[in-house]
Amino acid sequence: MTDPSRPSEPGRHRPGPVRPTASSALRLRPAVEARITGGFWAGRRAVNREVCVPGGWDRLQEAGNLHDVELAAGRAAGDPAGDLPFLDSDLYKWLEAVGWTLGDPDLATAAAGQLLARLAESTELLAAAQEPDGYLDSHFQVRHPGERFAQLPWGHELYCAGHLVQAAVAVHRSTGEDGLLQVARRVADLVVATFGTGPGQVDGVCGHPEIETALVELYRETGEQAYLDRARGFVDRRGHGLLGDDRFGRQYWQDHLPVREAATVEGHAVRQLYLLAGVADVHAETGDPSLLAACERLWADMVATRTYLTGGIGAHHRDEAFGDPYELPDERAYCETCAAIASVQLSWRLLMATGEARYADLLERTLYNGFLAGLSLDGERYSYVNPLQVRDGHVAGGGDGDPGRVPWFRCACCPPNVMRLLASLEHYVLLGGEDTVALHQYVSGEYTAEVAGGRARLVVATDYPWDGAVRVQVLDAPAGPWTLALRVPLWAGEGVALTVDGEAAAGGPAAGWWRVARVWQGGEQLLLTLPLEPRLTAADPRVDADRGCLALERGPLVYCVESADHPGHRLDDVLLDADRPLRAEARHGDLGDVVVVLATGSSRPRPETTWWPYGSPAPTAATMGTGATRGVSEAGEAVRLTAVPYFAWGNRAPGAMRVWLPVR
Amino acid sequence: MTDPSRPSEPGRHRPGPVRPTASSALRLRPAVEARITGGFWAGRRAVNREVCVPGGWDRLQEAGNLHDVELAAGRAAGDPAGDLPFLDSDLYKWLEAVGWTLGDPDLATAAAGQLLARLAESTELLAAAQEPDGYLDSHFQVRHPGERFAQLPWGHELYCAGHLVQAAVAVHRSTGEDGLLQVARRVADLVVATFGTGPGQVDGVCGHPEIETALVELYRETGEQAYLDRARGFVDRRGHGLLGDDRFGRQYWQDHLPVREAATVEGHAVRQLYLLAGVADVHAETGDPSLLAACERLWADMVATRTYLTGGIGAHHRDEAFGDPYELPDERAYCETCAAIASVQLSWRLLMATGEARYADLLERTLYNGFLAGLSLDGERYSYVNPLQVRDGHVAGGGDGDPGRVPWFRCACCPPNVMRLLASLEHYVLLGGEDTVALHQYVSGEYTAEVAGGRARLVVATDYPWDGAVRVQVLDAPAGPWTLALRVPLWAGEGVALTVDGEAAAGGPAAGWWRVARVWQGGEQLLLTLPLEPRLTAADPRVDADRGCLALERGPLVYCVESADHPGHRLDDVLLDADRPLRAEARHGDLGDVVVVLATGSSRPRPETTWWPYGSPAPTAATMGTGATRGVSEAGEAVRLTAVPYFAWGNRAPGAMRVWLPVR
């Protein structure tokens, strides 16, 4: 493979998502080189590269996404395949994943050739479908010609445009090819010309945020100030009721309050978080402190009151929305995979803006749990919703909202979203700032970040999250002092150790980082040891769904119990014995190589069957006459509990699953 | 008022819903005369008669329901007002309420005249809109001409036809007027001719059951066997996938299994229960034991595993559906008011079919709690959903799915459904069978039931549910022995007393009835005393949402605590002290005359604020380093808890509400 557009040389500058300008207000900036070379995520990325991304093209063909663009280009006949207005975005997200994948040095030559061909085919088709003034949206071109930008609440035109821009940026950054970028710029130029508060312009915002973050990226990629200004304009105009009222209320699309005034996350979770990612990007390039404050405030509200243990977001099925504070039902958790991805995007941006470790903590938790559960181990199936509990006797209702993974969805937003994040994951590991290089995720690979005086290059080797030893070698170091900051996760507590060239490092963790400041020579070997004893976790008592329950965790992984490991028991009848020790055990089997957590519990006898499941809490049935007696459990039969990583649930025969276990 | 069509004489035969034929398989049959004369329900019925029903006409006009029928009749121009396919049914349910209300002896003369005028106006309009072959459905006539009966899954044509039939039957039974009945019969005749498995017929069922029970009632009213046969045909053909697959799965409309084979209630709750009411009616008139067995089996599954303490039904917002067994979230309970009404209809039918007291128990619980909460105290506002918990900080999202009552809904199925049940409530009190007269609800009034040898007439006087004394006088009694059965609710336990003419009655409660068998002379005075001590109730341990919580109940009433009675406290922070005594206290105030339950609790200090709401369950924060410590509560500030009847919640300033209280 000698394609000059494909950067296989490790030294080549190959930026990922978020490429801040020199004047950006970020305290930490993405690594300038990054390559994952092994370990946990290399395996997941191989599945993405070899199964998900190639399969995505087939699914898009089968679902008719390409057909509808062909209709818009006048190259096909017949009815449009889809009725959802945002189907173009599935293609765009897949193209973004293709862009990042083409920057993956581990991509096989033949596979790269196939992806480049499909990229070229798609680019040519999109260019053909694009109207002379730049408009491009197959749904409106085919189904609603003449209604462009007239259905902003539900039309998703700017949302789709944003995903096109992101795809074009990814392709351009990875390959240098600018064909798709030209298409995207023409769309963006039309958006800039159309929207605004000037005479003849449309003073409106899109029902689904996304264009904001995309336009900032396009500004970064092109230097065109108008894109940044337009992104800021959309942020400023949102929250004034421009979208009108709808059945879910103005909160649904965050149009109830300007973001600078909002105190709480509200409404559709993905909309809220995509908006905030855009707000963070506008802050990054404008330095407007009120925007950063808004992001920090809303992130904190979200995490403290409306985030599941898995990092999953969104309690409501009906409107895919945040619930009330502490409304976090486990069995009816929505936790859309896209919302987890959006949460990762936001946390990463806030980490770069502030340097605060908690953002990296949530990013890690979400990556390993709420996000990763969205993809089956074999890469063939995806989940839309990610509950923390599936009951014995669950009857699948069908449709996108049912737990369990399927090859594709009618509303297929999640699968290509999974692909684009996995394909760009190497950029979410190391950051560089004025005097600090921050290693915030522990992923085997080679990473280079800019720091005052030059570039620091690190090699990370670890079997994390299965093993707690993280080896870091400083390969190249600029002259002069700088600080290497290693994140100490909140869950790690106090059992963390760090050596530099075999000697205990001075100081210790503070505010989530272990900072080692010195003049680095290059060649230093660091060993960070994180304690991976399995642990029990309780929820805030206001989380009603988890009252009387504990969860099992180990390192960044949330665990769950599944029916598959407990034949003969109903999980609804199992109690955890919290006083008995937990034990971690490596297992090679039907879930591949994982570490399971063993615990002790009991399977309580099912209560006497009565017709009415409520009754006196008194311990003797006699007090209730014919009534039921409830709330008292017998010790029951002892049962050895085997907990598996949450991300691996649902890969065997359908059955029950629980993250939160009632305690005996 | 001398309108001969209005039966104000108490002696007049005036049947209500369900008028079984002489050959019906029912063990108990509705009272032949019934009049509520005072007490709790008389007050609710006065509000219904004086506020709800008259206001319903105005709301239907405002919402455009009448306009759309006028369009179908060619009497209006312009666009149809509504886009939902079942808007005609709102009018029909209101007309049914008008029918029963016209049979209410307490209806004022002027009000009766107004209702009769509107009934006549509506009847004339509907007859004008009806097509020559009998077809009548304004949605399809106006919006989809030529597509009649072609959209059975979502078209709701047979559903609307069923409600028209029920309205016509109600009007006919109460007034003798048959104008609306003629319209309904022509619709029913078209349905009979159109549907079936014969040549040229449509082998289909409606996506929303309702026609089944209606056709049985029409058979009862007219003697036309074809209506019963068609009802049975719809029951038999459902469950074979005729409706196809849709996004919610075949369970959604109970088309996944024939009802005789279904073991569990599934899908859309109102659809499931309307279907079963129809199945019970077909059983009643055909005697098919497999249909009764199906109803009993599914009712038992529903009650044991998927019914809230309030009798509310339906755990899911997205598809208004039953959840999995024991999936009963309190804050996100759907508990549609219509589902409670449907549950009352089913339980009543099974009570008549079997004589088993548990059906009357659930009927009572649902009436006083899950149903009655659907109407504000002043009768001006309705709720669609009836959660058992509203959190501090709840942000109303707007729309029909938000807790809290509003004057009307875009999908206004519930308000006229409330009206028709309240307007016919007198019929849900007394039943008569071969040798038994069963008083299953305790409502002040005069009731006559048929029993072997003649008619038994009772007068009931009680301040139930506030007071536990129920006085029953036997006014007229047929010669020969018969049994007066008084229901002893499950909640009453063993503290029940009964005297006849001042002397303790022999025997005692058995299987939910206290049966007094004798030759009654007429004039006997019975006093049933039910124990109304407030009590604590626990849930089946598999109901995760209620783990570690207790509820307060008194008699048939479920209680709740509201912010309005606990200024300065967040309900999310309150714990109940289950060891302290409960006390009932009469209160005249902002909720009218109610009995409140006083309890003792504590308001625990809010846990230390950390950014992450999960952490070690250990009691000392030191073990977690910078992490949070959760799951341990301090005793907190003592707080006197005032619980109010659940049906009265949400009648004051918006705030938090809880039925299930965490226990200290």
Side-chain angles (χ1 to χ4, degrees), chain A residues 248 324 394 397 542 544 658, chain B residues 248 324 394 397 544 606 658:
Chain A
F248 296 134
D324 288 332
H394 171 73
R542 287 164 295 199
D544 294 84
R658 288 191 80 115
Chain B
F248 297 135
D324 289 331
H394 171 73
D544 294 84
R606 299 185 61 177
R658 288 191 80 114

Side-chain angles (χ1 to χ4, degrees), chain A residues 292-308:
Chain A
L292 178 58
C295 287
E296 291 184 279
R297 182 174 65 241
L298 294 174
W299 185 94
D301 171 65
M302 172 181 88
V303 178
T305 70
R306 310 183 214 219
T307 299
Y308 287 90

